[in-house]
Amino acid sequence: MVDTAEDNFRIEVWDREEKTHLETICRSPDAVVSQAAWHAAIRRRPGMLLIHYNSRHVMEKIITPGEAKVPPQTIIDGSIHAGLDVALGDLRSWHTLRAWCTTCSHHAEVKPASLIKRYGKEALFSSVERALLCTSCKKGGPVRMEIHSMQRN
């Protein structure tokens, strides 16, 4: 979607500390459309920080009621891609995987072929991460997986 000068109204989702922009829900030149999207976003994004803008000006800011459903995040070459949940079958031969234990910080390279054999090509990263167990501290997650591209020679 191409931004135009008329797309003044937008709704953004941020983390609670307002440090990481997670997604932009709506961009519109129409205030009525933007208000409708604002009310829908409050219902559909429980526990999230929503900010409603008119150009650079904040019209409304709210942490929505309910428990947050954090969108999946996939780390690709060091960058966080919020809302992206990759299937194991989407990986290519030049991708390598690294799993990090968030409890003890142990990390290890993981072979995509072994994960595909165990969980199938359709398995999503978010479900595989929940199933992994750290071999160092033996605690059941949470484990974060990262996708890295091998360097070309």
Side-chain angles (χ1 to χ4, degrees), residues 6 8-11 26-40 52-54 59-60:
E6 293 83 30
N8 292 333
F9 300 99
R10 72 183 183 283
I11 300 167
C26 174
R27 285 185 177 272
S28 175
D30 189 313
V32 175
V33 170
S34 186
Q35 279 296 325
W38 173 254
H39 292 291
H52 194 185
Y53 291 96
N54 179 355
M59 295 184 344
E60 300 172 272

Side-chain angles (χ1 to χ4, degrees), residues 61-137:
K61 184 190 286 189
I62 185 175
I63 294 179
T64 58
E67 196 170 316
K69 295 176 185 170
V70 179
Q73 296 181 342
T74 302
I75 301 172
I76 303 175
D77 290 330
S79 298
I80 296 175
H81 298 270
L84 178 66
D85 203 1
V86 177
L88 294 176
D90 293 336
L91 297 173
R92 300 294 174 247
S93 60
W94 59 83
H95 290 130
T96 59
L97 300 178
R98 184 177 300 142
W100 291 85
C101 176
T102 58
T103 303
C104 71
S105 297
H106 175 255
H107 60 278
E109 193 168 307
V110 180
K111 294 180 181 174
S114 64
L115 291 177
I116 290 171
K117 184 177 178 182
R118 185 173 184 179
Y119 299 105
K121 285 185 176 186
E122 292 79 29
L124 298 175
F125 264 50
S126 58
S127 60
V128 172
E129 285 176 333
R130 288 190 299 269
L132 292 177
L133 180 70
C134 178
T135 58
S136 180
C137 69

Side-chain angles (χ1 to χ4, degrees), residues 19-52:
K19 293 184 179 177
T20 305
H21 175 251
L22 300 175
E23 67 178 313
T24 300
I25 294 176
C26 174
R27 285 185 177 272
S28 175
D30 189 313
V32 175
V33 170
S34 186
Q35 279 296 325
W38 173 254
H39 292 291
I42 290 171
R43 289 189 308 274
R44 297 190 59 146
R45 299 293 194 280
M48 303 300 287
L49 173 63
L50 299 181
I51 304 174
H52 194 185

